Amino acid sequence: MSAPTGRRRAIAKALTALLPLAPYADMEKIRADAGAVHMKSLPPTIAVWLATIAHIRHVHTDYEKLLAEGYDRDSARFFVLEQTNRVLTRWRATRLLEDEDEE
């Protein structure tokens, strides 16, 4: 089941505001992830941010490789912080990931 129309619109607006130059294929995946059932209790802007970081981490960095090499999640996230921010910068994101953002 898809998200209600108002929420879909809010997600689309938040996505466009956060990532003005992200490629269409990436935007579509992030949009779908932000609209997932487990994100529905979050404000659209937070859902978009979390979906964006997860997408970039898994698709555009060495995160998966580091996990496969035995690094724990927090260490792998630390090591891909700069790669993640390079992608955000390339997409002209209005925000970058900081160490404090990691949990």
Side-chain angles (χ1 to χ4, degrees):
M1 178 190 270
S2 63
T5 304
R7 180 154 176 91
R8 276 201 311 269
R9 260 197 304 270
I11 286 170
K13 184 177 175 183
L15 194 52
T16 302
L18 177 66
L19 305 170
L21 294 182
Y24 181 77
D26 292 292
M27 294 271 278
E28 286 305 297
K29 177 71 171 101
I30 293 165
R31 181 188 330 272
D33 292 348
V37 172
H38 69 278
M39 298 278 216
K40 74 179 181 179
S41 65
L42 299 171
T45 53
I46 307 254
V48 165
W49 175 249
L50 294 175
T52 297
I53 296 308
H55 174 76
I56 291 172
R57 189 179 282 143
H58 288 279
V59 177
H60 296 283
T61 73
D62 295 330
Y63 182 72
E64 296 283 343
K65 183 178 152 203
L66 291 169
L67 292 178
E69 289 173 2
Y71 285 90
D72 64 78
R73 221 174 60 173
D74 290 338
S75 297
R77 287 176 175 189
F78 172 80
F79 287 120
V80 301
L81 182 73
E82 288 304 315
Q83 285 179 305
T84 303
N85 281 333
R86 277 197 296 275
V87 174
L88 288 168
T89 300
R90 194 167 58 241
W91 292 354
R92 298 293 187 262
T94 55
R95 167 180 183 187
L96 295 179
L97 186 64
E98 297 176 27
D99 285 331
E100 310 84 68
D101 292 337
E102 295 297 333
E103 297 183 2

